[in-house]
Amino acid sequence: MSLKNTHEIDIVRVSSSKIDSVDFDNLTFGTTFTDHMFVCDFREGKWQKAEIKPYAPFLLDPSAKVFHYGQAIFEGMKAYKDESDDVWLFRPDQNFERFNKSAKRMAMPEVDEEIFMSGLHQLIDLEREWVKKGLGNTLYIRPFMIAIGSGVIAAPSTQYRFMIILSPAKSYYSGEVKVIIAEHYSRAANGGIGAAKAAGNYSAQFYPTKLANERGFQQIIWTDDATHTKLEEAGTMNVFFRINDTLYTAPTSERILDGVTRKSLIDLAKRDGIDVAVRPVLVEEIIEAAKDGSLKEIFGAGTAAVVNPIVGFSYQDTYYELPKIENSFALLLKEKLTKIQYKLAEDTFGWTVKI
């Protein structure tokens, strides 16, 4: 696929890079940022001149609507460097489309494709030395938009800021992951903003996740808000269940995020002959499968972690340990996906885009 790179952007470079001060072998996810950032404001009903400038804090009015009414959306993407020092994006068109779906749901202006794609291309091209070679090394990309218009009247802003910042990264999670199946709290509700990558979705799940952490669990598998009988997402990731040799995952909806990693894993599994069932997954059937031994794997899927195996889960104060298996679908699919992302395997789907 092509990557539009025709939008004119003003570029102000740093006087000296901080890259030599960064320990790329010991990165904490999302805490180190590159030298530059992309900024484009929406004012008077249209997008203004875009710019790339040194990464730095910026001032906002205390009454900016993002602080009071939560108009904020974001995306998560990655750039990869192959053995020839070329830099690649993975399915950026999907992130662009989802970003604008989120914007529409939050009553925010949609970003022009040329602004989004040219901003990505030119910023990453400028920071390409921050993308390190080797499996597991990536450049995490965070496009986001906030309401910057002032005033505490409960109404959508008329001014917005679209930005892209970059963070070198290694793996997101480490160690074994145990989860609790939610019985009371919900991540999202019918008619709500669960399918949007809105900031409020994530802040709302911090408290129940904190309660799970206090009990020795790393994450929560969320259930539907109405009955708490349907399994939907794991933490901030989509979730898959393997019963015997079939993968099950819930369909996307206004409660469940349309994950780029999720849909890519489904396509890879189908291509390679793994049975995939996209349908509602019930808590009771997973409990029964755990009891009779047919539940082989549970794993989360998302941009940051790619694939995150889950070793066990708790429901109604009973803990179920998953078996350790050699032919793990989670690890197999992760390997196939990452090889495409790092250009170590043929991209038969046309998912990768060269910077």
Side-chain angles (χ1 to χ4, degrees):
M1 64 175 274
S2 63
L3 179 66
K4 289 190 176 182
N5 185 31
T6 59
H7 194 75
E8 184 179 351
I9 300 173
D10 288 338
I11 300 178
V12 178
R13 297 173 183 263
V14 295
S15 56
S16 62
S17 176
K18 60 189 175 188
I19 192 169
D20 290 338
S21 67
V22 175
D23 182 357
F24 284 90
D25 292 325
N26 294 287
L27 293 169
T28 300
F29 185 87
T31 59
T32 301
F33 296 93
T34 65
D35 293 318
H36 301 88
M37 61 186 186
F38 173 88
V39 183
C40 188
D41 284 355
F42 182 90
R43 301 177 187 272
E44 299 177 349
K46 62 181 180 180
W47 290 102
Q48 306 297 307
K49 185 69 176 291
E51 58 181 337
I52 291 173
K53 59 185 182 180
Y55 184 97
F58 55 88
L59 293 175
L60 285 181
D61 192 289
S63 71
K65 300 225 175 191
V66 64
F67 299 138
H68 302 275
Y69 302 112
Q71 277 187 292
I73 61 171
F74 67 94
E75 273 296 321
M77 312 167 63
K78 284 181 178 178
Y80 310 82
K81 182 170 281 185
D82 66 18
E83 290 304 310
S84 301
D85 285 328
D86 289 324
V87 177
W88 299 83
L89 295 175
F90 182 73
R91 306 189 77 175
D93 58 320
Q94 298 296 305
N95 294 99
F96 166 72
E97 290 176 10
R98 190 172 63 184
F99 191 83
N100 277 342
K101 287 179 181 177
S102 297
K104 186 175 181 179
R105 179 62 183 85
M106 299 298 290
M108 304 170 83
E110 295 183 33
V111 177
D112 296 340
E113 184 177 7
E114 285 192 358
I115 292 174
F116 190 99
M117 292 300 185
S118 289
L120 270 181
H121 183 104
Q122 294 186 49
L123 180 62
I124 295 169
D125 190 38
L126 182 63
E127 306 284 52
R128 61 192 310 119
E129 293 305 313
W130 288 81
V131 194
K132 298 303 181 182
K133 289 192 292 190
L135 284 172
N137 295 320
T138 62
L139 186 66
Y140 183 77
I141 306 163
R142 173 53 63 90
F144 65 100
M145 178 164 42
I146 58 173
I148 61 172
S150 60
V152 295
I153 297 173
S157 178
T158 59
Q159 300 178 19
Y160 298 87
R161 180 161 296 165
F162 169 55
M163 300 184 63
I164 305 173
I165 56 177
L166 309 173
S167 177
K170 298 181 84 67
S171 61
Y172 187 68
Y173 292 106
S174 61
E176 293 187 342
V177 175
K178 298 178 181 180
V179 301
I180 293 176
I181 293 179
E183 299 176 56
H184 172 70
Y185 293 102
S186 298
R187 195 195 77 87
N190 284 329
I193 59 172
K197 281 190 76 72
N201 285 340
Y202 296 79
S203 59
Q205 59 92 21
F206 289 157
Y207 176 68
T209 303
K210 176 178 177 289
L211 297 180
N213 294 162
E214 291 171 353
R215 294 176 57 188
F217 297 89
Q218 286 70 47
Q219 281 294 350
I220 296 173
I221 294 184
W222 303 104
T223 50
D224 69 290
D225 65 302
T227 67
H228 293 290
T229 61
K230 299 174 184 176
L231 296 157
E232 297 194 332
E233 292 191 339
T236 58
M237 300 179 289
N238 296 116
V239 63
F240 288 81
F241 305 88
R242 175 184 173 185
I243 300 177
N244 292 319
D245 287 330
T246 299
L247 278 181
Y248 295 85
T249 191
T252 56
S253 68
E254 58 187 359
R255 297 190 311 274
I256 299 176
L257 193 70
D258 186 14
V260 178
T261 303
R262 170 191 175 276
K263 66 178 70 177
S264 303
L265 294 178
I266 290 172
D267 288 345
L268 280 170
K270 289 180 176 178
R271 184 196 70 179
D272 294 343
I274 296 174
D275 289 332
V276 180
V278 180
R279 63 159 177 79
V281 182
L282 301 178
V283 175
E284 63 181 15
E285 68 178 311
I286 295 302
I287 299 299
E288 288 305 312
K291 289 179 178 178
D292 67 23
S294 60
L295 179 64
K296 306 301 183 184
E297 295 181 83
I298 304 175
F299 58 92
T303 299
V306 187
V307 170
N308 204 120
I310 292 168
V311 300
F313 67 92
S314 176
Y315 181 67
Q316 294 183 342
D317 295 324
T318 300
Y319 180 72
Y320 301 87
E321 187 84 20
L322 271 68
K324 289 180 169 56
I325 56 176
E326 293 184 1
N327 62 331
S328 165
F329 285 180
L331 298 182
L332 174 66
L333 291 172
K334 180 177 183 178
E335 181 183 15
K336 289 178 180 292
L337 182 59
T338 53
K339 280 188 174 180
I340 291 174
Q341 292 169 330
Y342 287 90
K343 307 302 287 185
L344 297 173
E346 183 183 1
D347 176 14
T348 60
F349 297 97
W351 286 338
T352 51
V353 177
K354 188 175 180 180
I355 292 292

